[in-house]
Amino acid sequence: MPEFRVLVDGYRRFKSDAYVKQKARYDALASDGQSPPIMIISCSDSRVDPATVFDTTPGQVFALRNVASLVPPYETGGGLHGVSAAIEFGVLGLEVRHIVVLGHAQCGGIKASLEGANLGHDGHSFIDGWVDIIRPARDRIVASASDDPQRDLELDAVRVSLANLRSFPFIAEREKNEQLKLHGAYFGIADGNLYVLDEQTDIFEVQ
């Protein structure tokens, strides 16, 4: 398929240009391993690549991407816990010093929370089950008759994920001891603006 060939062609450009220019960095990462100071939890949306948005270099960020940038609350029973496993590794294994939850405009996962996934599957939706994480926030926003429920829930989902991060005992402990700092952020696809949550005022401020 030609779409995959585009990826291979891109790899070849990378290998002959960016990789060569950063060869010393890759050699160090290969021999010393990774020790990124920052973990970014962002959406799987193809328009919001955190490495592009923040212009990062290899080894700078430990990245976790999922539908709507969501973090489930801490719990040890039932199911598979891929997001929690990545958080555990980032905090306890890599000892990151910052975790950024990055939401974004026009998020399909947030739209699914408001309207349902409606993907014509076999009656079971993994997406609908996943975005239930923000159901209380969704219900509150819908009940408020918001003028822009999509954007309001996109922002509130970041707040929910930050609260859920703090339900992990090892995160709460490290944040209390000032070994770890949590950040909420929001990216506007159309205008390119980055907003960062000031948790003192509970306002997302443009940077």
Side-chain angles (χ1 to χ4, degrees):
M1 291 185 176
E3 294 85 358
F4 180 71
R5 177 52 54 187
V6 169
L7 292 183
V8 175
D9 291 343
Y11 156 73
R12 288 174 176 160
R13 291 192 301 274
F14 159 77
K15 183 67 183 301
S16 64
D17 185 18
Y19 183 80
V20 173
K21 292 176 181 176
Q22 300 184 81
K23 186 63 166 65
R25 176 180 292 274
Y26 279 104
D27 286 346
L29 290 169
S31 62
D32 301 335
Q34 62 170 328
S35 56
I38 301 168
M39 178 175 185
I40 298 178
I41 302 171
S42 62
C43 187
S44 302
D45 193 301
S46 62
R47 300 165 295 178
V48 189
D49 176 10
T52 301
V53 171
F54 294 110
D55 192 24
T56 59
T57 56
Q60 186 178 354
V61 166
F62 181 59
L64 167 63
R65 301 183 70 174
N66 65 48
V67 172
S69 319
L70 297 181
V71 174
Y74 177 82
E75 61 101 7
T76 57
L80 300 173
H81 302 289
V83 169
S84 299
I87 291 167
E88 178 183 75
F89 181 66
V91 175
L92 299 181
L94 298 175
E95 298 186 328
V96 297
R97 297 188 292 279
H98 301 267
I99 300 179
V100 180
V101 177
L102 177 65
H104 71 93
Q106 301 162 2
C107 179
I110 298 301
K111 183 178 181 181
S113 177
L114 290 167
E115 303 176 5
N118 299 320
L119 295 180
H121 194 33
D122 61 2
H124 173 81
S125 171
F126 292 107
I127 296 173
D128 286 342
W130 174 247
V131 297
D132 266 355
I133 291 170
I134 52 172
R135 178 184 290 272
R138 190 266 325 261
D139 291 348
R140 184 173 62 253
I141 287 169
V142 169
S144 74
S146 164
D147 291 334
D148 192 348
Q150 174 80 23
R151 179 177 170 84
D152 286 349
L153 188 52
E154 286 164 352
L155 296 175
D156 230 25
V158 174
R159 297 183 178 99
V160 170
S161 286
L162 289 172
N164 286 346
L165 280 169
R166 292 183 169 112
S167 72
F168 286 72
F170 53 84
I171 288 180
E173 179 182 3
R174 286 177 179 242
E175 188 177 34
K176 179 181 178 181
N177 294 334
E178 298 185 346
Q179 298 171 293
L180 179 65
K181 176 69 175 173
L182 306 186
H183 309 267
Y186 177 85
F187 177 69
I189 296 171
D191 57 22
N193 287 337
L194 179 74
Y195 301 82
V196 173
L197 177 63
D198 182 335
E199 293 198 85
Q200 298 299 315
T201 63
D202 198 36
I203 295 173
F204 282 83
E205 300 179 344
V206 67
Q207 301 303 293

